[in-house]
Amino acid sequence: SIYGSLLRKNVYQRMEAFYFEDFSLSEIAQNEGVSRNAVYESLLSGVKQLKKYEDKLGCYKKKEKSYALLDKLEECKDEDEKKKITEELKGVLRNGI
């Protein structure tokens, strides 16, 4: 996650276990010796924080736009169109990735 390092360590670890390692809430709770509700609340909090960071910073959106422009540039044959795409990509990169 682009913003993962901004989360509290336990929230990030729980989100990683749940979303990427396919652990259930109960499995995470049991492994950590906490309640299932504590894990659930951490996940809700983490998602809310990640959304807040993306809403303010837009890094994920800019990254996706950059990759789309690079793909478009790679496929482009027309030199004038390549210049336009390159300028658009520079604009995305200048604005904060």
Side-chain angles (χ1 to χ4, degrees), residues 64-76 85 89:
E64 291 300 305
K65 180 154 179 112
S66 296
Y67 279 119
L69 288 169
L70 285 171
D71 288 342
K72 193 174 175 182
L73 186 61
E74 200 172 56
E75 295 169 5
C76 187
I85 296 168
L89 181 57

Side-chain angles (χ1 to χ4, degrees), residues 9-24:
K9 185 177 178 180
N10 69 327
V11 172
Y12 179 78
Q13 289 172 336
R14 289 172 183 172
M15 290 185 79
E16 190 174 58
F18 186 76
Y19 291 107
F20 300 117
E21 297 171 16
D22 206 30
F23 280 80
S24 69

Side-chain angles (χ1 to χ4, degrees), residues 1 3 5 9-10 15 17 23 44 47 52-53 85 94:
S1 163
Y3 307 111
S5 64
K9 185 177 178 180
N10 69 327
M15 290 185 79
F23 280 80
L44 285 180
V47 168
K52 183 174 117 182
Y53 293 137
I85 296 168
R94 271 189 214 110

Side-chain angles (χ1 to χ4, degrees), residues 21-80:
E21 297 171 16
D22 206 30
F23 280 80
S24 69
L25 295 177
S26 298
E27 289 170 323
I28 298 167
Q30 186 176 14
N31 290 343
E32 294 185 16
V34 298
S35 71
R36 185 180 176 281
N37 192 58
V39 174
Y40 177 75
E41 291 297 326
S42 290
L43 295 177
L44 285 180
S45 170
V47 168
K48 185 177 176 180
Q49 287 176 309
L50 292 176
K51 183 175 176 356
K52 183 174 117 182
Y53 293 137
E54 179 59 19
D55 289 345
K56 289 186 183 257
L57 302 172
C59 291
Y60 183 79
K61 184 178 176 182
K62 290 173 187 173
K63 176 183 163 189
E64 291 300 305
K65 180 154 179 112
S66 296
Y67 279 119
L69 288 169
L70 285 171
D71 288 342
K72 193 174 175 182
L73 186 61
E74 200 172 56
E75 295 169 5
C76 187
K77 304 282 188 242
D78 181 66
E79 288 303 313
D80 289 335

